[in-house]
Amino acid sequence: MLVLTSLIFALIGLFLGGGGIWLITLGGSWFYLIAGAAFLATAFFVLVRSALAYWVYAATILVTLVWALLEVGFDWWQLGARGGLVVLLGLWLLLPWVRRPILRDDYGFPEKDKPARAGPWPLVAAVLVSMVVAVISLFTDPHAIEGALPGARSASAETADAVPDGEWHGYGRTERGQRWSPLDQVTPENVGDLELAWQIQTGDMMGPNDVVETTYENTPLMVDDTLYVCTPHSWAMAFNARTGEEKWKFDPKVPVDGNRQHQTCRGVTYYDDPDIAEGERCKTRVYLPTSDARLIALNAEDGTICEDFADNGTLQLQKNMPYKTQGYYYSTSPPLAINGKIVVGGSVNDNYSTDSPSGVIRAYDIDTGELIWNFDTGNPEQTEPLGPDETYTKNSPNSWSVMSGDSDLGLIYAPIGNRTPDQIGLNRSPAVEKYSSSVVALDAETGKPVWNFQGVHHDLWDMDVPAQPALLDLTIDGETVPALVQATKQGEVFVLNRETGEPILPVKEVPAPQEGGLDGENLSLTQPVSALSFNPPKLEGRDMWGASLLDQLVCRIKLKQYNYEGRYTPPSVDGTIVYPGNFGTLNWGSVAVDPERQVMFAMPVYMAYTSTLVPKSTPGVATQGINSNNGADYAVSFSTLLGPLGVPCQAPPWGYVAGADLTTGEIVWKHKNGTIQDMTPLPLKIKMGVPGIGGPIMTRGGVAFLGATMDNYIRGYDVTTGEQLWEARLPAGGQATPMTYETADGAQYVLIVAGGHGSVGTETGDYILAYKLPEG
C-alpha cells in the first residue's frame, strides 16, 4: 500500500512540477512547481517510511490553503478546486494501513508506544484547519450584491398601446417590450402558494432529421381568454386560457431542411383591425412567421387563412432576395404590428457563406400585404420598395430578434446583428460598419433611419444586438425622459433617449485590444461602456477552475496559450478567448423593466469561449464540422473554454439574477441563480449559478418570474431584493420567457412553455404549463 501511495504522490508531483514549469515559461504562477516538489518529497518519505512525510505534507496543505485564500478568498468552489484533492490525499495518509507502517518503521515502536513528538498530528492539524476554512466558505458568497430596489416612483404606466391589464398582446406584452404586467394578485407574500393549474402538450417534438438547434423559445399571447402559441415547426395553436383546452391548430407544413441553423418560433403577432366590424371574419388576426421564410395571416377565431392578405394569405419573404438558398433565410421572431403596418425582420445563417440573403427589414400593409418600405442596412438610403427585378444587398446585417415600437412617436426600434463572417471584418462597406451591432430607430411611415446607436464598433465577436429594446419613461433630475433600454451580448445595458438616441446613462469609450488580429483588419481603437454594465473583470489565472488542482493547472496553461487581452481581443489563427462569449451575457430573452418603479430585472450569464480562425489556404486543413464561411479565406472554430475533464475552465458562478436602478445605473442586488441538478449524472441540487437562455418578466405585485436555466425549473423572485421565493419543477427545459395573465373569472396565471433547447442540451419536450394560486 505504501508503494502505491508513493507512486500516486509521485505522479501527481511530476504532473504539477512539469506543468508548473510550463506555466512559468508562459508567465504564470510559481505555485504549481512548488507544489509538485512538495508532492515528490512526500512520495519519497512515504516510500522510505519516514514520519517526515506528515510534516512535509502538512506544510503542503497549509501553503496551498494560504495561496488559495490569497487568490480567491472564501469562495467555496474555487477553494475546492485548489484544495479538495490535496486534503483528500491528506486524509488518505491518515488511514491506518498507511499511517501504521510509516510510524512503526520510522520510530521502531508500536504505534501505541510511540514518543509524544511522533505521529501524524501536524497533518491532522492542517486537515482540520482546512476543514474549518471550508465550512466558513460554505456560508460565504463573495459574488453576491445585497440591496433593495426602490418602490414606485411613477404614478402611472399608461402607454399609447393600451392593453387590458389582464392580457398579454405582444412578445414583451405590448409594443414597448417591457415584459411587465400590471397584475398584482401574486405577491412576495403568497407566490410560494402557486400550484399547477393545468399542463398540456402541443404534439410538436424534435424529429430525427431536425437540426440541433430545434428549440422551444415561444412566449404565448393571451387575448380575451385565448392563448396563441407557435411551436418550433411553425405550427400556430390556440388554447383556452383557463383550461388549456385546444381551440384550433394550423400547420403550415414546413419541410425539414438541414441547411437551417435554427428551428424555432419565438412568437406570433396579434392584430385587431379597427376597420373591420365586430363579428366579421379576420377582424382579429394572428400573423405567423415560418422557418421556411413565409408570413401567414390567420383568423384568430378559428385558425383559418385570411385570404385577403398578400397572396391568398401568405407573404413570401424570399422576394427580391439575393441567393435564395433554402434554409439560409427565415424568420424566428414575431413581426411588429404598428400604425397599420406589419414590420418583418429575418434571420440569416451565421458563418455559412459570404453569398447570403439580405438582412433587410420590410414594412407591409397589415391588411393587404403590399410592401410599403424596406430598410436594408447595406443600402440604407433606398427605403422605397424595390422593383421586381431588383435585389437587396447580399449579406447585410440583419434584425433577427424582436423589434419594439412607439406609436406616439411613430418610431420602430430594431436590434441589428452582424454580417457573415462575424469574425472577419475585411472589406465591410461604410454602411455595414455603421449599422452592425446597433439599435436603429426607423420612421414607421417611411422606413428612413432616424438615429442609430452602435454597441460594438467593427464587431468581430458575433456580438449582435440580440434583445428586444424595452421602452419606458424615466424620471431624471425631476424631468420625464422617454427612454429605451437595450441589453447586449457583451453585457452592456445602454439606456438611451428613444427620441434622439443620445445616452441617458453615461457611455464612455475605453481603449480596446489591438494585438493579434488579421493583417488589414481595421480594429476599433475604443469600445463603448455603459454606466449600467454587466461586463465581468478580465479573466486571470486565479479565475481558472476544474475538478482538482490538476485540471485547474491545465486551464491556467490554456489561458496563457490563447490570445487574450480582455474583452474584444481580436480573433486570430492562434486562437482567441472571447469573454463574455457570443452565447451572450444577455441574449434574446432581454430584460424586464418596471415602468412604475423604473427598475430592471436581468439574468446575466458568463461563459468564456474560444474562437480560432482556420486558413483555408493551408494544405491538409479540414474545415468540415466547423463554421465554413464559404467565400471567405478563413473558416472559424468555436468552443466553450473547457478543461480536460469537460468541466468549464472558468470558475462558477456562470449565471445570476440581478436588479438595477435605471435612473442611476446602479446594480442594486445580484445573486447566483440555478443548480446543477440536470447538468451532471448525479441529480445534485447544488446552487452554483448556471448558464441559461430565456428572459424574465415582472409584475406590479413585486414578483419576477424566470425559467431559462439549465436545470428544469421556473422560479419566482422578490423584485425588491432578488430573493428566490418559489420554484416548480418542469418536465423539460424552460428556455422560453414566461408570461402572466388574468382570466374572466379573476384568476391570475403564470405560464411557461417548456420544450428544451438544442444548443444548451436541456431536456426536450412540448409542454405548456400554467400556475395559479389555490382557490378560496
Side-chain angles (χ1 to χ4, degrees):
M1 187 58 69
L2 292 188
V3 173
L4 176 61
T5 300
S6 177
L7 179 62
I8 291 171
F9 274 78
L11 290 174
I12 292 173
L14 289 171
F15 186 92
L16 291 174
I21 293 172
W22 190 0
L23 183 60
I24 290 168
T25 65
L26 296 172
S29 172
W30 282 69
F31 169 79
Y32 299 89
L33 176 59
I34 297 168
F39 267 86
L40 288 172
T42 302
F44 172 77
F45 289 124
V46 168
L47 187 63
V48 300
R49 304 190 179 205
S50 170
L52 285 174
Y54 290 103
W55 289 90
V56 171
Y57 201 68
T60 303
I61 289 178
L62 293 176
V63 169
T64 301
L65 179 62
V66 171
W67 165 75
L69 287 171
L70 289 174
E71 280 211 321
V72 299
F74 288 95
D75 185 331
W76 195 89
W77 291 105
Q78 283 274 49
L79 291 176
R82 288 160 172 77
L85 177 64
V86 178
V87 173
L88 284 175
L89 289 172
L91 292 171
W92 175 261
L93 288 177
L94 294 173
L95 293 174
W97 49 83
V98 178
R99 182 187 73 242
R100 286 172 179 167
I102 290 176
L103 297 180
R104 182 182 63 244
D105 289 3
D106 189 45
Y107 292 104
F109 298 104
E111 187 180 358
K112 63 184 179 62
D113 298 325
K114 65 184 182 294
R117 72 179 185 280
W121 303 116
L123 182 54
V124 170
V127 168
L128 289 175
V129 170
S130 297
M131 289 181 173
V132 169
V133 170
V135 170
I136 294 172
S137 67
L138 275 173
F139 296 96
T140 305
D141 186 356
H143 306 281
I145 299 173
E146 303 290 348
L149 289 171
R153 292 181 284 186
S154 173
S156 173
E158 288 299 316
T159 63
D161 55 322
V163 169
D165 284 0
E167 298 191 351
W168 195 282
H169 283 205
Y171 182 75
R173 187 173 175 272
T174 73
E175 67 173 22
R176 300 198 172 192
Q178 295 171 350
R179 291 164 182 75
W180 176 83
S181 168
L183 296 180
D184 58 6
Q185 187 179 127
V186 179
T187 67
E189 289 72 34
N190 64 21
V191 64
D193 297 328
L194 281 176
E195 58 186 25
L196 186 66
W198 53 261
Q199 170 182 310
I200 60 171
Q201 293 179 259
T202 67
D204 187 2
M205 290 287 291
M206 181 177 182
N209 298 317
D210 280 328
V211 296
V212 170
E213 183 112 348
T214 298
T215 63
Y216 266 91
E217 299 178 356
N218 178 250
T219 299
L221 312 182
M222 200 290 275
V223 184
D224 193 21
D225 276 12
T226 299
L227 293 164
Y228 298 99
V229 177
C230 67
T231 69
H233 293 93
S234 304
W235 299 358
M237 304 181 74
F239 300 92
N240 184 303
R242 283 178 284 180
T243 65
E245 179 183 2
E246 183 179 316
K247 290 188 171 184
W248 55 257
K249 182 180 84 172
F250 175 81
D251 181 358
K253 306 297 183 184
V254 172
V256 174
D257 192 336
N259 281 336
R260 228 171 267 140
Q261 205 165 40
H262 306 274
Q263 187 70 54
T264 193
C265 181
R266 294 189 183 92
V268 296
T269 302
Y270 179 85
Y271 180 65
D272 186 339
D273 196 324
D275 296 327
I276 297 180
E278 292 291 341
E280 293 293 316
R281 177 174 157 74
C282 290
K283 173 178 174 51
T284 56
R285 285 172 236 144
V286 169
Y287 289 86
L288 171 69
T290 71
S291 53
D292 61 349
R294 291 178 283 163
L295 182 67
I296 303 172
L298 302 173
N299 182 7
E301 294 299 313
D302 58 15
T304 56
I305 290 177
C306 295
E307 296 87 352
D308 291 343
F309 177 75
D311 183 9
N312 291 317
T314 299
L315 195 63
Q316 298 290 344
L317 298 177
Q318 289 279 21
K319 189 175 181 181
N320 294 108
M321 277 291 178
Y323 305 108
K324 299 178 182 179
T325 306
Q326 288 299 316
Y328 274 39
Y329 177 86
Y330 38 91
S331 186
T332 59
S333 297
L336 174 69
I338 183 171
N339 294 357
K341 301 171 188 65
I342 188 82
V343 185
V344 187
S347 183
V348 178
N349 285 347
D350 277 341
N351 301 318
Y352 273 39
S353 174
T354 57
D355 292 333
S356 291
S358 175
V360 64
I361 298 169
R362 289 168 285 187
Y364 300 90
D365 185 288
I366 202 163
D367 292 315
T368 68
E370 179 187 0
L371 180 64
I372 298 174
W373 55 256
N374 36 239
F375 172 73
D376 180 353
T377 51
N379 185 20
E381 300 306 315
Q382 184 178 350
T383 58
E384 300 79 12
L386 297 189
D389 298 325
E390 294 180 284
T391 58
Y392 300 114
T393 309
K394 73 170 186 176
N395 196 25
S396 54
N398 60 315
S399 183
W400 57 263
S401 190
V402 188
M403 289 175 268
S404 299
D406 187 326
S407 298
D408 289 342
L409 294 176
L411 293 178
I412 295 163
Y413 304 96
I416 305 294
N418 209 342
R419 60 168 286 180
T420 290
D422 291 288
Q423 289 72 28
I424 303 170
L426 307 174
N427 304 317
R428 291 179 180 172
S429 70
V432 167
E433 289 283 25
K434 178 178 180 179
Y435 288 105
S436 284
S437 306
S438 67
V439 56
V440 60
L442 303 176
D443 186 302
E445 293 304 310
T446 66
K448 294 288 186 183
V450 176
W451 59 259
N452 82 289
F453 181 91
Q454 190 168 64
V456 180
H457 309 318
H458 195 67
D459 182 5
L460 301 175
W461 304 273
D462 190 20
M463 293 301 177
D464 300 345
V465 177
Q468 181 184 24
L471 315 181
L472 76 165
D473 293 338
L474 295 177
T475 304
I476 307 291
D477 296 329
E479 299 289 329
T480 299
V481 182
L484 176 149
V485 178
Q486 183 61 67
T488 66
K489 283 186 178 181
Q490 67 270 24
E492 303 302 322
V493 179
F494 298 107
V495 181
L496 312 174
N497 184 310
R498 67 176 181 270
E499 289 189 76
T500 66
E502 294 298 315
I504 295 173
L505 294 182
V507 175
K508 61 182 179 180
E509 294 284 335
V510 299
Q514 298 294 302
E515 300 297 326
L518 295 175
D519 290 341
E521 195 70 84
N522 185 28
L523 299 174
S524 177
L525 294 174
T526 63
Q527 294 289 354
V529 173
S530 173
L532 176 47
S533 177
F534 291 102
N535 177 36
K538 177 184 175 183
L539 289 174
E540 304 287 351
R542 62 176 175 268
D543 300 311
M544 294 298 97
W545 194 62
S548 71
L549 195 64
L550 306 179
D551 51 326
Q552 199 240 7
L553 167 60
V554 173
C555 285
R556 289 181 94 129
I557 292 171
K558 273 193 171 188
L559 178 67
K560 292 292 185 179
Q561 287 179 308
Y562 280 102
N563 288 345
Y564 180 63
E565 296 300 327
R567 190 169 61 161
Y568 305 126
T569 301
S572 66
V573 295
D574 297 321
T576 295
I577 290 177
V578 181
Y579 181 68
N582 61 341
F583 188 76
T585 299
L586 301 164
N587 207 306
W588 53 260
S590 193
V591 297
V593 300
D594 183 329
E596 295 178 342
R597 299 176 69 168
Q598 301 182 23
V599 299
M600 180 187 83
F601 186 103
M603 185 193 73
V605 170
Y606 300 102
M607 287 297 291
Y609 284 73
T610 64
S611 171
T612 304
L613 299 177
V614 181
K616 296 181 182 178
S617 59
T618 304
V621 171
T623 58
Q624 291 182 343
I626 63 176
N627 291 267
S628 57
N629 291 337
N630 293 332
D633 293 332
Y634 297 86
V636 62
S637 175
F638 298 109
S639 176
T640 310
L641 183 62
L642 298 175
L645 301 179
V647 174
C649 276
Q650 168 204 343
W654 305 298
Y656 297 85
V657 286
D661 186 331
L662 290 171
T663 67
T664 65
E666 179 189 3
I667 298 171
V668 175
W669 56 256
K670 184 178 176 185
H671 307 299
K672 59 186 178 184
N673 185 54
T675 73
I676 61 170
Q677 181 172 347
D678 297 303
M679 296 175 63
T680 62
L682 296 175
L684 302 174
K685 196 176 178 182
I686 300 173
K687 190 173 184 178
M688 289 180 68
V690 299
I693 190 163
I697 64 169
M698 284 196 289
T699 67
R700 182 179 280 153
V703 181
F705 294 97
L706 174 69
T709 53
M710 292 180 68
D711 56 351
N712 299 337
Y713 286 95
I714 179 174
R715 296 179 168 95
Y717 309 81
D718 186 328
V719 168
T720 302
T721 65
E723 179 188 359
Q724 182 184 313
L725 303 173
W726 170 79
E727 68 180 17
R729 185 78 168 146
L730 300 174
Q735 281 70 53
T737 302
M739 50 87 75
T740 185
Y741 59 90
E742 184 177 84
T743 51
D745 60 2
Q748 181 181 349
Y749 292 76
V750 176
L751 182 143
I752 189 169
V753 172
H757 196 285
S759 289
V760 297
T762 49
E763 182 76 21
T764 59
D766 61 339
Y767 298 90
I768 304 175
L769 303 99
Y771 303 87
K772 69 175 184 176
L773 295 171
E775 296 180 2

